[in-house]
Amino acid sequence: MMKLCIYCSTGQCIKKGVRNNKQRFQCKSCGKYQLKYYTYKLYNKLDDKIIMFLNAESVGISSLSRFLGYSKQTILKRITFLASRVSKPRLYEYNQVYEVDEMWTYVSSCRTRDVRWITYAMNRKTNQIVDVAVGARSKENLAKVINKLKLLSPKKIITDKLSVYPNLIIPVEHDTRRYKNNKIERSNLNLRTHIKRLSRKTICYSKSEKMLENCVLLYFSWHNWQMKFE
Ligand SMILES: [Zn+2]
């Protein structure tokens, strides 16, 4: 029996090779290819919101794939796409107090385990996340966040006692006293509970720095930056 074409619905299909152990057909009238059956469903844009929501509810890539019925590749591609659309907020404020902190995490492949840090800044009064940088705890990465804060002419910047900070912050008032950065330390705990790959003492971890950054960006845009869906 000949298979009917799903694209033009009138054409007859002939067998044309095998892909992933599934028979492939080609339409004789429109020339399009199709498989005998498909394992995963076609992506629906309405699921963008569910991906954003579940990413912030400690659901990992594999769980998203099982739950939504898409392949892991599709989920990864979609998260990368959504993260590329995230826009960091433009703030019109001045004379505010900000907290800056780095959070330890790692990126792992087969045998290596490379440490990465999530550096971000938060308005102490409004809890607004100003900027985030993922990577090494280097002067360059910290400067990215601090320089963005300096544009807002801050009243004070509160950090931990890392030795790089005083030189970076210098004209602005700098505070490293204990318990002054409690808001951002509490926010670190939120990140650890809400993002699956950041939870400790589990076997969930990031395999690439890019996806770590993507997931953190999605989390902030969902909870703090109110990303718009069209
Ligand atoms: Zn056809």
Side-chain angles (χ1 to χ4, degrees), residues 4-13 26-34:
L4 276 178
C5 177
I6 53 171
Y7 298 103
C8 62
S9 72
T10 49
Q12 299 275 299
C13 296
Q26 189 183 20
C27 177
K28 277 205 280 188
S29 52
C30 70
K32 284 187 175 172
Y33 292 98
Q34 59 180 297

